[in-house]
Every structure is written in C-alpha cells, then in structure tokens.
Amino acid sequence: MKLEEVNNWMIPIPKGSIGLRDDRKKEKWSVEIHKFLLSKFPITQELYSSVMADNPSAFIGSHNPVEMVSWYDAVQFCNTLSRVSGLYECYLIDLDSEAVDLIDSANGYRLPTDAEWEYACRANTKAVQYGPINEIAWYEKNSEATTHEVGLKAENDFGLFDMLGNVWEWCWDVYDPKFYGPYRVFRGGGWCDSERGCLASNRRRSHPTYKIDDLGFRIARSVRSD
C-alpha cells in the first residue's frame, strides 16, 4: 500500500459532544469533541507491514485488520507513520520506563481518545449499534472464528467501517489508574464476541503490553481549527 493513500482513509468527524458512562464505576460524564480525522478502517496488515516491516497477526490477510498488537505497538506505529509522512510525531515514547506522553501541538497520527471513539461510532445517533448487527459487524455468529477484510460490512453515518466487530480497537486513554494502573481502554467488540459485546458503549481495558488475536486499532489526527 502506498503511504500517500492513507490520506484517503482519513474521514472528517464534525465537532459535537458525547455523554459517556462506565457501569463498573457507576459514573456518567460529558465530553466536548473537537473536529478531528479518523481512519475509515482499522489499520490493515498491508499498511502495518509497509510502515513497520512486520506483521504480527494470527489471521493472515493483507486487507484484514492487523491484530496481536499491543498499545505500545500502536503508538509506535503512529509515530513511525507520522515520521515517514513528513508530520510531527504525536508521542514521546520511553519504553524503558513505559512512559508515553502526548504532544498536543503535533500534527501527526495518533490513537483516538475514548470519547472520540464512541462519538465517531455512534455518528450522532443515540443507538449503541448503528445498524442491524449482521449488516455492520463480524462477530461470534457470522465470523467463522476469524477476522475478515475491512470494509465489507455497512459503514455508519460518518462513513466509518468496522467500528463494531472484527477487532477491538485500542484508544489513548488510561482506564482507571487508581485501581488498574497503566491499563488502557479498548473499544468495539471483536470477531469472537456476542452481539452484546459489540456495542458503542462497551469499554474494556488491559495492560499496554497486552496482545491478542481480536485486538487492533485505527488512527486519528487532530484538526487545529473548528
């Protein structure tokens, strides 16, 4: 895949607001969302390989989402893609200390925030699924226990594909540092999840070194003016 094609993947997401909740913590809160760009597909194995010269995936397919990638792998991909695209890297990464800091002024690629992800998934609707599950997602009952090529299911109203099902997607946010330390959020449900696992409101978390065959990511970019 040619790296310049990545620009064609980036969909403008309009500004707005999103109400979030966490059933485990029994909390609700609201977040204002600035306009940003989000990739219309999860990162594919073809793109990941072209940037990182590696394909860690368990289910091989150039147009399937990359999986078996940790949160650290995802932020390193973002920085490398930014660098080869002539953009400023969004992250200061020190793997020895497991410290990653976001550079707010950078114009490169990054992971979406937890709030951005849910806002983009819902696409200005209140529904937890943006269409009938079999039309929008690869999940337990139709996936045949594997990932599938991105973009084969229906997109949401923002033009985003595979937001639910196929693979879960890493987000930037720390989940709850008081109880879970550095655990990061991931969203969206995967190929082995039930219909109830593939909801815009579902939130899971794990250590940033965690890797599994139903967990990948998609990328975002900030837009500096609303």
Side-chain angles (χ1 to χ4, degrees), residues 19-36:
L20 302 178
R21 76 170 192 272
D22 190 293
D23 292 335
R24 189 198 68 83
K25 294 189 287 185
K26 308 298 182 186
E27 293 180 359
K28 294 182 179 181
W29 64 101
S30 181
V31 179
E32 292 297 316
I33 303 294
H34 298 284
K35 184 164 62 176
F36 69 105

Side-chain angles (χ1 to χ4, degrees), residues 55-125:
N55 183 8
S57 303
F59 301 107
I60 300 301
S62 60
H63 299 296
N64 290 35
V66 69
E67 17 85 6
M68 296 297 295
V69 284
S70 70
W71 184 87
Y72 288 129
D73 292 331
V75 295
Q76 289 180 87
F77 172 89
C78 289
N79 267 8
T80 304
L81 179 59
S82 297
R83 186 166 61 250
V84 300
S85 301
L87 302 172
Y88 290 105
E89 298 175 6
C90 285
Y91 300 115
L92 290 173
I93 302 172
D94 184 344
L95 292 181
D96 291 333
S97 64
E98 297 187 340
V100 179
D101 294 313
L102 177 66
I103 304 170
D104 286 328
S105 60
N107 66 353
Y109 295 98
R110 59 176 177 81
L111 296 179
T113 67
D114 182 33
E116 286 175 335
W117 188 96
E118 183 167 337
Y119 176 78
C121 183
R122 289 181 182 268
N124 282 338
T125 73

Side-chain angles (χ1 to χ4, degrees), residues 14 17-20 117-131 136 155-158 164 200-201:
S17 62
I18 181 75
L20 302 178
W117 188 96
E118 183 167 337
Y119 176 78
C121 183
R122 289 181 182 268
N124 282 338
T125 73
K126 295 182 178 180
V128 291
Q129 291 174 340
Y130 48 87
I136 65 171
E155 76 264 44
N156 71 6
D157 285 349
F158 285 161
L164 299 176
S201 55

